[in-house]
mmCIF file of all heavy atoms in Angstrom:
data_model
loop_
_atom_site.group_PDB
_atom_site.id
_atom_site.type_symbol
_atom_site.label_atom_id
_atom_site.label_comp_id
_atom_site.label_asym_id
_atom_site.label_seq_id
_atom_site.Cartn_x
_atom_site.Cartn_y
_atom_site.Cartn_z
ATOM 1 N N VAL A 553 45.258 -17.405 -11.575
ATOM 2 C CA VAL A 553 44.518 -18.143 -10.546
ATOM 3 C C VAL A 553 45.497 -18.883 -9.637
ATOM 4 O O VAL A 553 45.316 -18.928 -8.417
ATOM 5 C CB VAL A 553 43.509 -19.117 -11.195
ATOM 6 C CG1 VAL A 553 42.882 -20.027 -10.136
ATOM 7 C CG2 VAL A 553 42.417 -18.336 -11.930
ATOM 8 N N GLN A 554 46.542 -19.454 -10.218
ATOM 9 C CA GLN A 554 47.552 -20.142 -9.413
ATOM 10 C C GLN A 554 48.221 -19.181 -8.431
ATOM 11 O O GLN A 554 48.669 -19.587 -7.354
ATOM 12 C CB GLN A 554 48.600 -20.784 -10.314
ATOM 13 C CG GLN A 554 48.137 -22.046 -11.014
ATOM 14 C CD GLN A 554 47.789 -23.163 -10.050
ATOM 15 O OE1 GLN A 554 48.451 -23.336 -9.029
ATOM 16 N NE2 GLN A 554 46.741 -23.913 -10.364
ATOM 17 N N ALA A 555 48.272 -17.896 -8.819
ATOM 18 C CA ALA A 555 48.890 -16.889 -7.950
ATOM 19 C C ALA A 555 48.113 -16.709 -6.652
ATOM 20 O O ALA A 555 48.652 -16.218 -5.650
ATOM 21 C CB ALA A 555 49.003 -15.558 -8.688
ATOM 22 N N LEU A 556 46.838 -17.109 -6.657
ATOM 23 C CA LEU A 556 46.023 -17.002 -5.444
ATOM 24 C C LEU A 556 46.419 -18.045 -4.405
ATOM 25 O O LEU A 556 46.129 -17.893 -3.219
ATOM 26 C CB LEU A 556 44.535 -17.172 -5.789
ATOM 27 C CG LEU A 556 43.895 -16.131 -6.716
ATOM 28 C CD1 LEU A 556 42.469 -16.554 -7.043
ATOM 29 C CD2 LEU A 556 43.903 -14.752 -6.076
ATOM 30 N N LYS A 557 47.055 -19.104 -4.867
ATOM 31 C CA LYS A 557 47.326 -20.254 -3.999
ATOM 32 C C LYS A 557 48.093 -19.863 -2.743
ATOM 33 O O LYS A 557 47.780 -20.331 -1.635
ATOM 34 C CB LYS A 557 48.097 -21.312 -4.785
ATOM 35 C CG LYS A 557 48.295 -22.617 -4.039
ATOM 36 C CD LYS A 557 48.947 -23.649 -4.948
ATOM 37 C CE LYS A 557 49.098 -24.993 -4.247
ATOM 38 N NZ LYS A 557 49.690 -26.022 -5.138
ATOM 39 N N ASN A 558 49.095 -19.022 -2.900
ATOM 40 C CA ASN A 558 49.918 -18.624 -1.761
ATOM 41 C C ASN A 558 49.550 -17.260 -1.201
ATOM 42 O O ASN A 558 50.293 -16.694 -0.390
ATOM 43 C CB ASN A 558 51.393 -18.630 -2.175
ATOM 44 C CG ASN A 558 51.862 -20.010 -2.597
ATOM 45 O OD1 ASN A 558 51.515 -21.010 -1.974
ATOM 46 N ND2 ASN A 558 52.654 -20.078 -3.669
ATOM 47 N N ASP A 559 48.399 -16.742 -1.642
ATOM 48 C CA ASP A 559 47.949 -15.441 -1.146
ATOM 49 C C ASP A 559 47.477 -15.580 0.302
ATOM 50 O O ASP A 559 46.757 -16.530 0.649
ATOM 51 C CB ASP A 559 46.807 -14.927 -2.028
ATOM 52 C CG ASP A 559 46.439 -13.487 -1.721
ATOM 53 O OD1 ASP A 559 47.036 -12.580 -2.323
ATOM 54 O OD2 ASP A 559 45.554 -13.268 -0.871
ATOM 55 N N SER A 560 47.881 -14.650 1.150
ATOM 56 C CA SER A 560 47.561 -14.747 2.576
ATOM 57 C C SER A 560 46.056 -14.744 2.852
ATOM 58 O O SER A 560 45.587 -15.384 3.799
ATOM 59 C CB SER A 560 48.219 -13.581 3.334
ATOM 60 O OG SER A 560 47.767 -12.339 2.806
ATOM 61 N N LYS A 561 45.294 -14.056 2.009
ATOM 62 C CA LYS A 561 43.847 -13.974 2.216
ATOM 63 C C LYS A 561 43.079 -14.913 1.302
ATOM 64 O O LYS A 561 42.193 -15.648 1.747
ATOM 65 C CB LYS A 561 43.366 -12.536 1.985
ATOM 66 C CG LYS A 561 41.859 -12.368 2.156
ATOM 67 C CD LYS A 561 41.429 -10.935 1.894
ATOM 68 C CE LYS A 561 39.910 -10.799 2.037
ATOM 69 N NZ LYS A 561 39.460 -9.409 1.750
ATOM 70 N N ASP A 562 43.423 -14.906 0.017
ATOM 71 C CA ASP A 562 42.609 -15.627 -0.963
ATOM 72 C C ASP A 562 43.174 -16.985 -1.357
ATOM 73 O O ASP A 562 42.715 -17.599 -2.320
ATOM 74 C CB ASP A 562 42.409 -14.752 -2.209
ATOM 75 C CG ASP A 562 41.540 -13.532 -1.902
ATOM 76 O OD1 ASP A 562 40.500 -13.720 -1.252
ATOM 77 O OD2 ASP A 562 41.917 -12.425 -2.301
ATOM 78 N N GLY A 563 44.153 -17.476 -0.581
ATOM 79 C CA GLY A 563 44.609 -18.840 -0.797
ATOM 80 C C GLY A 563 43.455 -19.825 -0.576
ATOM 81 O O GLY A 563 43.409 -20.896 -1.187
ATOM 82 N N LYS A 564 42.520 -19.440 0.282
ATOM 83 C CA LYS A 564 41.353 -20.287 0.551
ATOM 84 C C LYS A 564 40.484 -20.445 -0.696
ATOM 85 O O LYS A 564 39.851 -21.487 -0.884
ATOM 86 C CB LYS A 564 40.514 -19.675 1.681
ATOM 87 C CG LYS A 564 41.218 -19.650 3.029
ATOM 88 C CD LYS A 564 40.348 -18.972 4.078
ATOM 89 C CE LYS A 564 41.065 -18.889 5.428
ATOM 90 N NZ LYS A 564 40.232 -18.199 6.440
ATOM 91 N N LEU A 565 40.455 -19.417 -1.525
ATOM 92 C CA LEU A 565 39.655 -19.501 -2.745
ATOM 93 C C LEU A 565 40.255 -20.527 -3.705
ATOM 94 O O LEU A 565 39.516 -21.275 -4.363
ATOM 95 C CB LEU A 565 39.572 -18.129 -3.425
ATOM 96 C CG LEU A 565 38.750 -18.068 -4.721
ATOM 97 C CD1 LEU A 565 37.320 -18.544 -4.493
ATOM 98 C CD2 LEU A 565 38.755 -16.644 -5.280
ATOM 99 N N HIS A 566 41.572 -20.558 -3.790
ATOM 100 C CA HIS A 566 42.220 -21.565 -4.632
ATOM 101 C C HIS A 566 41.905 -22.962 -4.104
ATOM 102 O O HIS A 566 41.643 -23.896 -4.889
ATOM 103 C CB HIS A 566 43.733 -21.339 -4.651
ATOM 104 C CG HIS A 566 44.461 -22.239 -5.586
ATOM 105 N ND1 HIS A 566 44.837 -23.530 -5.238
ATOM 106 C CD2 HIS A 566 44.857 -22.075 -6.887
ATOM 107 C CE1 HIS A 566 45.438 -24.104 -6.254
ATOM 108 N NE2 HIS A 566 45.471 -23.244 -7.271
#
Side-chain angles (χ1 to χ4, degrees):
V553 172
Q554 285 297 322
L556 297 174
K557 187 174 183 178
N558 298 319
D559 189 89
S560 58
K561 179 181 179 181
D562 292 314
K564 294 177 182 179
L565 180 57
H566 185 277

